[in-house]
Amino acid sequence: MVFSACGSLHSNADRSAERRPQASDSVTGKSQLAVSAFRATTLAAVRQPYTTVRTGLAVFWHRPKEIVSGNLPVRLDLTPPPVEVPGSEEFEMLLDRQGMPNRESGRLTWLVDGREFFPELDRRLAAAKERVDLQFFIYDNDDVAVQYADRLKAKAETVPVRVLFDDLGSSFAHTAAPETPGPRGFVPPADMAVYLKNDSRIQVRRSLNPWLVCDHTKLLVFDRRTAIMGGMNMGREYYSEWHDVMVKVEGPIVGRLQGEFSRAWRKAGPWGDLAMFQRPRFFRKPEPVDGGVPLRLLRTDAAAGQEQILKSTLLGIRAAKKRIWIENPYFAHDDIAIEVEAAARRGVDVRVILPARGDSTIMDAGNLGTARGLIEAGAKVYRYPRMTHMKVIICDGWAQVGSANLDILSMRINREMNLAFSDPATVRDLERKVFLPDFRASKLVRHEETTSPVAPIAEAVADQL
């Protein structure tokens, strides 16, 4: 249940018996999970002792703290809300003073759903001439993932290809079949790392999981010039079943994204934490591009003590004067929910889109509890007709997109990556491509629909997932 908020891992697993050709069989799946658990404990402790200690301290501090703080009858906050309006240069300067990373220029192109992301991935793979670096939380073992593994093998014959994926996240996903059946007779590989490396030049590494903590990042970098990041993993759910978004990034900030991949790659190698003492390779920043805007890279990383996504999100919500629009599959972080409710009470246009049916029964029930509080505060909550896996938010004229869910894992513990921006034209593009179509496609949730005897319990459990 630790991974319920991270992908297709819970309710889809209940359907796996019907779709056995698209998921590992029970014996294979359990054996792979056992091996992953060994790597997450013993191997992680040996290779990454510093990360293991820092992550353990974060887990054992933030999980009980969330239980206590989320259930206090009275909350006292004597800090006045920021006067800087999100989207203004003054708000960006506030983020600077709060120690957020500096902005760098880049151009964003929105890729909504698999129908836009995967063709762009095909184009980037075909055009790459120097290097392909791919990081996923989940590299699944279904037919779509295998098809792309074969394409990467072919590409690796001409340019270096590196693939990094989260160990436990992928192992859990291999036991859960997608909703749509694959080709008749398809047999999923038992170990995708082995499949990717077999008869190929691909370099493959797994992100280890001390204390069962994930690297939830999705980041693809091509020739150190173009990057794609967001919420999508590699598998059939993202290809054709779920509603999600990635964003193509071009311009100087791609140099920083390349550096983030390089750091994760080195840490996942045999030297583990010791590799962080190596002098990082110098990556020449890509040249500025037409249409570039200031972008701020935000991270969550318990081992590095980074909570940039949470801190900036809370600042944006507390400072919002006109609107807060959110689309996220898992809304279970008490501090964020309370601040959004407070914004609705002070007259801010609060609209939240949640999935009608997600991939976790507990998270669905937890969302229901959150929705009840939001509606009582005056917010509008919508149900998207299928699973929406998007992680996007707009506060007035400031926006974020990336991999982070609105739960304790993404805000405090997992490794996550978001991009934030205030450029008016880019914010309008996000409205046009994501929010306005999704508001039209979604159904408004009525207060009486949130009544459930298990919702408060589920919301408390969901706080920990």
Side-chain angles (χ1 to χ4, degrees):
M1 295 303 300
V2 173
F3 302 97
S4 293
C6 294
S8 172
L9 306 174
H10 178 57
S11 62
N12 277 0
D14 297 335
R15 297 188 289 270
S16 292
E18 306 169 23
R19 309 293 192 192
R20 188 63 64 192
Q22 282 284 81
S24 297
D25 62 79
S26 178
V27 173
T28 300
K30 289 178 181 177
S31 64
Q32 289 297 317
L33 283 171
V35 173
S36 295
F38 169 79
R39 289 192 289 256
T41 52
T42 306
L43 187 58
V46 172
R47 286 188 179 178
Q48 301 176 357
Y50 176 79
T51 296
T52 298
V53 171
R54 284 291 302 266
T55 303
L57 291 173
V59 169
F60 286 103
W61 168 250
H62 288 302
R63 286 195 181 279
K65 180 173 176 284
E66 183 77 6
I67 294 174
V68 173
S69 65
N71 293 280
L72 290 175
V74 178
R75 296 178 66 89
L76 297 177
D77 192 345
L78 302 179
T79 305
V83 297
E84 295 85 351
V85 178
S88 67
E89 186 60 26
E90 290 77 15
F91 182 78
E92 295 292 349
M93 293 172 64
L94 171 64
L95 294 176
D96 291 337
R97 293 194 298 273
Q98 294 295 318
M100 299 300 154
N102 295 330
R103 292 175 288 170
E104 290 195 60
S105 177
R107 180 175 63 204
L108 301 185
T109 304
W110 301 99
L111 306 171
V112 177
D113 291 339
R115 70 177 185 273
E116 293 185 358
F117 164 56
F118 283 94
E120 183 62 29
L121 173 57
D122 294 340
R123 288 188 288 270
R124 293 300 103 206
L125 287 174
K129 292 180 172 59
E130 299 175 11
R131 178 176 296 279
V132 174
D133 291 332
L134 309 180
Q135 180 181 5
F136 294 102
F137 169 58
I138 292 171
Y139 199 111
D140 218 330
N141 65 343
D142 57 30
D143 64 308
V144 170
V146 168
Q147 176 186 352
Y148 274 91
D150 293 339
R151 294 184 185 181
L152 292 173
K153 288 183 180 184
K155 189 65 181 181
E157 294 297 314
T158 57
V159 301
V161 175
R162 297 188 290 183
V163 178
L164 174 65
F165 58 81
D166 190 82
D167 191 6
L168 276 176
S170 295
S171 295
F172 267 94
H174 293 172
T175 67
E179 293 188 344
T180 52
R184 186 177 298 277
F186 173 77
V187 178
D191 188 321
M192 280 306 297
V194 172
Y195 184 85
L196 283 161
K197 290 187 288 187
N198 189 37
D199 297 325
S200 87
R201 298 181 180 180
I202 298 177
Q203 299 180 66
V204 182
R205 289 181 180 175
R206 297 177 173 93
S207 298
L208 298 179
N209 307 94
W211 301 102
L212 306 183
V213 169
C214 304
D215 191 331
H216 198 232
T217 307
K218 296 89 172 174
L219 173 64
L220 295 68
V221 187
F222 307 90
D223 292 343
R224 305 188 184 102
R225 294 185 183 89
T226 303
I228 300 175
M229 58 165 292
M232 294 196 204
N233 294 296
M234 176 56 72
R236 177 173 277 269
E237 285 93 345
Y238 309 92
Y239 186 81
S240 60
E241 295 179 356
W242 288 5
H243 187 44
D244 210 337
V245 68
M246 298 286 269
V247 61
K248 182 172 72 171
V249 188
E250 300 166 284
I253 197 170
V254 175
R256 187 179 294 186
L257 294 172
Q258 178 69 68
E260 291 290 330
F261 177 91
S262 178
R263 182 180 184 277
W265 177 263
R266 287 185 286 121
K267 191 171 184 176
W271 291 100
D273 284 343
L274 290 176
M276 298 298 98
F277 292 100
Q278 296 176 356
R279 194 170 188 174
R281 291 182 60 189
F282 173 74
F283 298 110
R284 186 181 300 277
K285 286 186 179 181
E287 295 295 324
V289 294
D290 292 338
V293 302
L295 303 172
R296 196 185 299 270
L297 180 64
L298 303 172
R299 298 230 58 155
T300 301
D301 188 340
Q306 294 177 329
E307 296 180 359
Q308 298 158 359
I309 297 174
L310 174 61
K311 291 177 180 178
S312 60
T313 299
L314 287 174
L315 278 173
I317 292 170
R318 298 189 71 210
K321 306 296 190 294
K322 295 182 179 180
R323 65 168 172 178
I324 298 170
W325 293 358
I326 295 172
E327 185 163 354
N328 205 285
Y330 318 109
F331 198 159
H333 196 281
D334 287 321
D335 289 345
I336 294 177
I338 289 168
E339 292 293 351
V340 174
E341 289 174 14
R345 290 193 178 97
R346 66 174 182 265
V348 176
D349 172 21
V350 174
R351 308 185 205 179
V352 177
I353 302 175
L354 302 170
R357 179 177 63 83
D359 64 332
S360 167
T361 303
I362 287 181
M363 296 305 295
D364 284 347
N367 282 345
L368 204 64
T370 302
R372 184 176 182 83
L374 292 171
I375 293 171
E376 289 174 350
K380 294 180 180 179
V381 180
Y382 298 81
R383 281 199 183 102
Y384 191 76
R386 56 192 175 102
M387 172 58 175
T388 176
H389 195 246
M390 291 195 178
K391 300 96 164 51
V392 288
I393 180 171
I394 298 177
C395 299
D396 288 350
W398 177 80
Q400 274 193 75
V401 61
S403 68
N405 299 311
L406 298 179
D407 55 26
I408 187 174
L409 284 178
S410 288
M411 294 295 118
R412 302 275 194 186
I413 297 173
N414 281 342
R415 292 195 79 237
E416 305 281 359
M417 178 186 290
N418 279 12
L419 277 179
F421 49 91
S422 295
D423 175 68
T426 308
V427 173
R428 285 195 298 271
D429 281 345
L430 177 57
E431 295 175 23
R432 181 179 58 84
K433 290 283 289 185
V434 173
F435 280 104
L436 297 181
D438 288 1
F439 286 142
R440 290 193 294 268
S442 301
K443 180 182 177 183
L444 197 64
V445 179
R446 301 190 305 273
H447 183 265
E448 54 268 28
E449 295 178 278
T450 65
T451 303
S452 170
V454 301
I457 299 173
E459 196 276 332
V461 174
D463 285 347
Q464 300 298 307
L465 296 182

